[in-house]
Amino acid sequence: MSERMMDHMSLHVEDLPAMRVFYEKACAPLGISVVMQVTKEMTGYADMAGFGGHKPFLWLVGTEKTTPPLHMALKAETRAEVDAFYAAAIAAGGRDNGRPGIREHYHPNYYAAFVIDPEGHNLEAVCQKPE
């Protein structure tokens, strides 16, 4: 069975253009970018931006914000990627919610950083490999 169990998720946002810019900048160090756009005319209800590698797994949906603030952890391959994610997310307007570092309460190799995005969601990058 694959380590990745989720196919995709949708995050409803009030300001799709601004949130797209934030996620483009914050996720770039993790190799995550916009790979698909869908218009309101196509969906019948909202413009959407799909983020991923070769296929979208995270959709930003431009509607009234119906999703309460949530926590989302993105997988990083290295600790350096976690550090770069944190720096990029803060530079893009995110708020600190936990600087990069080991979180031993999870396990000895849990290296993560946490940022609150512009609409209040807790975005994490985590590398669970030994250094």
Side-chain angles (χ1 to χ4, degrees), residues 91-106:
R95 290 182 289 125
D96 171 59
N97 196 33
R99 297 183 61 78
I102 293 288
R103 280 19 185 221
E104 286 189 10
H105 52 281
Y106 296 127

PDB file of all heavy atoms in Angstrom, residues 91-106:
ATOM      1  N   ALA A  91       8.003  34.980   4.199  1.00  0.00           N
ATOM      2  CA  ALA A  91       8.238  36.058   3.226  1.00  0.00           C
ATOM      3  C   ALA A  91       6.992  36.348   2.399  1.00  0.00           C
ATOM      4  O   ALA A  91       6.785  37.485   1.967  1.00  0.00           O
ATOM      5  CB  ALA A  91       9.413  35.700   2.317  1.00  0.00           C
ATOM      6  N   ALA A  92       6.148  35.336   2.201  1.00  0.00           N
ATOM      7  CA  ALA A  92       4.935  35.508   1.400  1.00  0.00           C
ATOM      8  C   ALA A  92       3.762  36.042   2.214  1.00  0.00           C
ATOM      9  O   ALA A  92       2.674  36.215   1.682  1.00  0.00           O
ATOM     10  CB  ALA A  92       4.553  34.175   0.756  1.00  0.00           C
ATOM     11  N   GLY A  93       3.972  36.296   3.505  1.00  0.00           N
ATOM     12  CA  GLY A  93       2.909  36.879   4.319  1.00  0.00           C
ATOM     13  C   GLY A  93       2.317  35.952   5.365  1.00  0.00           C
ATOM     14  O   GLY A  93       1.359  36.325   6.042  1.00  0.00           O
ATOM     15  N   GLY A  94       2.874  34.761   5.517  1.00  0.00           N
ATOM     16  CA  GLY A  94       2.404  33.861   6.562  1.00  0.00           C
ATOM     17  C   GLY A  94       2.887  34.328   7.929  1.00  0.00           C
ATOM     18  O   GLY A  94       3.830  35.105   8.041  1.00  0.00           O
ATOM     19  N   ARG A  95       2.218  33.853   8.992  1.00  0.00           N
ATOM     20  CA  ARG A  95       2.599  34.186  10.363  1.00  0.00           C
ATOM     21  C   ARG A  95       3.212  32.956  11.029  1.00  0.00           C
ATOM     22  O   ARG A  95       2.712  31.849  10.870  1.00  0.00           O
ATOM     23  CB  ARG A  95       1.383  34.642  11.175  1.00  0.00           C
ATOM     24  CG  ARG A  95       0.857  35.996  10.747  1.00  0.00           C
ATOM     25  CD  ARG A  95      -0.325  36.442  11.600  1.00  0.00           C
ATOM     26  NE  ARG A  95      -1.506  35.618  11.283  1.00  0.00           N
ATOM     27  CZ  ARG A  95      -2.206  34.923  12.175  1.00  0.00           C
ATOM     28  NH1 ARG A  95      -1.897  34.941  13.445  1.00  0.00           N
ATOM     29  NH2 ARG A  95      -3.251  34.217  11.800  1.00  0.00           N
ATOM     30  N   ASP A  96       4.246  33.172  11.779  1.00  0.00           N
ATOM     31  CA  ASP A  96       4.919  32.087  12.493  1.00  0.00           C
ATOM     32  C   ASP A  96       3.955  31.364  13.428  1.00  0.00           C
ATOM     33  O   ASP A  96       3.199  31.991  14.161  1.00  0.00           O
ATOM     34  CB  ASP A  96       6.089  32.651  13.304  1.00  0.00           C
ATOM     35  CG  ASP A  96       6.690  31.618  14.234  1.00  0.00           C
ATOM     36  OD1 ASP A  96       7.144  30.567  13.738  1.00  0.00           O
ATOM     37  OD2 ASP A  96       6.677  31.846  15.453  1.00  0.00           O
ATOM     38  N   ASN A  97       4.005  30.036  13.363  1.00  0.00           N
ATOM     39  CA  ASN A  97       3.246  29.216  14.309  1.00  0.00           C
ATOM     40  C   ASN A  97       4.118  28.058  14.805  1.00  0.00           C
ATOM     41  O   ASN A  97       3.612  27.065  15.287  1.00  0.00           O
ATOM     42  CB  ASN A  97       1.963  28.678  13.663  1.00  0.00           C
ATOM     43  CG  ASN A  97       0.988  28.171  14.696  1.00  0.00           C
ATOM     44  OD1 ASN A  97       0.904  28.681  15.799  1.00  0.00           O
ATOM     45  ND2 ASN A  97       0.232  27.143  14.345  1.00  0.00           N
ATOM     46  N   GLY A  98       5.432  28.198  14.641  1.00  0.00           N
ATOM     47  CA  GLY A  98       6.379  27.177  15.080  1.00  0.00           C
ATOM     48  C   GLY A  98       7.565  27.107  14.145  1.00  0.00           C
ATOM     49  O   GLY A  98       7.465  26.574  13.046  1.00  0.00           O
ATOM     50  N   ARG A  99       8.679  27.664  14.570  1.00  0.00           N
ATOM     51  CA  ARG A  99       9.892  27.698  13.752  1.00  0.00           C
ATOM     52  C   ARG A  99      10.364  26.279  13.441  1.00  0.00           C
ATOM     53  O   ARG A  99      10.023  25.349  14.154  1.00  0.00           O
ATOM     54  CB  ARG A  99      10.985  28.471  14.476  1.00  0.00           C
ATOM     55  CG  ARG A  99      10.600  29.951  14.704  1.00  0.00           C
ATOM     56  CD  ARG A  99      11.710  30.739  15.366  1.00  0.00           C
ATOM     57  NE  ARG A  99      12.933  30.768  14.568  1.00  0.00           N
ATOM     58  CZ  ARG A  99      13.148  31.545  13.502  1.00  0.00           C
ATOM     59  NH1 ARG A  99      12.216  32.366  13.108  1.00  0.00           N
ATOM     60  NH2 ARG A  99      14.290  31.504  12.862  1.00  0.00           N
ATOM     61  N   PRO A 100      11.174  26.109  12.396  1.00  0.00           N
ATOM     62  CA  PRO A 100      11.687  24.769  12.067  1.00  0.00           C
ATOM     63  C   PRO A 100      12.443  24.153  13.236  1.00  0.00           C
ATOM     64  O   PRO A 100      13.221  24.838  13.907  1.00  0.00           O
ATOM     65  CB  PRO A 100      12.640  25.035  10.899  1.00  0.00           C
ATOM     66  CG  PRO A 100      12.165  26.311  10.287  1.00  0.00           C
ATOM     67  CD  PRO A 100      11.642  27.126  11.441  1.00  0.00           C
ATOM     68  N   GLY A 101      12.185  22.880  13.466  1.00  0.00           N
ATOM     69  CA  GLY A 101      12.886  22.175  14.525  1.00  0.00           C
ATOM     70  C   GLY A 101      12.308  20.798  14.777  1.00  0.00           C
ATOM     71  O   GLY A 101      11.286  20.415  14.209  1.00  0.00           O
ATOM     72  N   ILE A 102      12.992  20.066  15.634  1.00  0.00           N
ATOM     73  CA  ILE A 102      12.561  18.721  16.031  1.00  0.00           C
ATOM     74  C   ILE A 102      11.369  18.833  16.981  1.00  0.00           C
ATOM     75  O   ILE A 102      11.368  19.665  17.890  1.00  0.00           O
ATOM     76  CB  ILE A 102      13.727  17.965  16.716  1.00  0.00           C
ATOM     77  CG1 ILE A 102      14.840  17.677  15.710  1.00  0.00           C
ATOM     78  CG2 ILE A 102      13.237  16.693  17.395  1.00  0.00           C
ATOM     79  CD1 ILE A 102      14.497  16.610  14.690  1.00  0.00           C
ATOM     80  N   ARG A 103      10.392  17.984  16.786  1.00  0.00           N
ATOM     81  CA  ARG A 103       9.237  17.857  17.688  1.00  0.00           C
ATOM     82  C   ARG A 103       9.299  16.448  18.289  1.00  0.00           C
ATOM     83  O   ARG A 103       8.669  15.513  17.800  1.00  0.00           O
ATOM     84  CB  ARG A 103       7.922  18.022  16.936  1.00  0.00           C
ATOM     85  CG  ARG A 103       7.402  19.422  16.571  1.00  0.00           C
ATOM     86  CD  ARG A 103       8.363  20.518  16.574  1.00  0.00           C
ATOM     87  NE  ARG A 103       7.750  21.814  16.334  1.00  0.00           N
ATOM     88  CZ  ARG A 103       8.306  22.724  15.563  1.00  0.00           C
ATOM     89  NH1 ARG A 103       9.438  22.496  14.947  1.00  0.00           N
ATOM     90  NH2 ARG A 103       7.748  23.904  15.433  1.00  0.00           N
ATOM     91  N   GLU A 104      10.119  16.305  19.322  1.00  0.00           N
ATOM     92  CA  GLU A 104      10.357  14.984  19.915  1.00  0.00           C
ATOM     93  C   GLU A 104       9.098  14.360  20.502  1.00  0.00           C
ATOM     94  O   GLU A 104       9.029  13.139  20.645  1.00  0.00           O
ATOM     95  CB  GLU A 104      11.457  15.063  20.974  1.00  0.00           C
ATOM     96  CG  GLU A 104      12.821  15.224  20.365  1.00  0.00           C
ATOM     97  CD  GLU A 104      13.941  15.074  21.381  1.00  0.00           C
ATOM     98  OE1 GLU A 104      13.677  14.652  22.524  1.00  0.00           O
ATOM     99  OE2 GLU A 104      15.076  15.373  21.013  1.00  0.00           O
ATOM    100  N   HIS A 105       8.105  15.175  20.840  1.00  0.00           N
ATOM    101  CA  HIS A 105       6.871  14.614  21.391  1.00  0.00           C
ATOM    102  C   HIS A 105       6.142  13.745  20.354  1.00  0.00           C
ATOM    103  O   HIS A 105       5.308  12.937  20.719  1.00  0.00           O
ATOM    104  CB  HIS A 105       5.952  15.698  21.963  1.00  0.00           C
ATOM    105  CG  HIS A 105       5.669  16.831  21.037  1.00  0.00           C
ATOM    106  ND1 HIS A 105       6.566  17.865  20.823  1.00  0.00           N
ATOM    107  CD2 HIS A 105       4.599  17.105  20.267  1.00  0.00           C
ATOM    108  CE1 HIS A 105       6.045  18.719  19.968  1.00  0.00           C
ATOM    109  NE2 HIS A 105       4.860  18.288  19.616  1.00  0.00           N
ATOM    110  N   TYR A 106       6.450  13.927  19.055  1.00  0.00           N
ATOM    111  CA  TYR A 106       5.909  13.038  18.018  1.00  0.00           C
ATOM    112  C   TYR A 106       6.840  11.838  17.838  1.00  0.00           C
ATOM    113  O   TYR A 106       6.428  10.710  17.929  1.00  0.00           O
ATOM    114  CB  TYR A 106       5.721  13.777  16.695  1.00  0.00           C
ATOM    115  CG  TYR A 106       4.689  14.879  16.777  1.00  0.00           C
ATOM    116  CD1 TYR A 106       5.006  16.169  16.376  1.00  0.00           C
ATOM    117  CD2 TYR A 106       3.413  14.642  17.262  1.00  0.00           C
ATOM    118  CE1 TYR A 106       4.058  17.189  16.455  1.00  0.00           C
ATOM    119  CE2 TYR A 106       2.465  15.654  17.342  1.00  0.00           C
ATOM    120  CZ  TYR A 106       2.802  16.922  16.931  1.00  0.00           C
ATOM    121  OH  TYR A 106       1.879  17.932  17.007  1.00  0.00           O
TER     122      TYR A 106
END
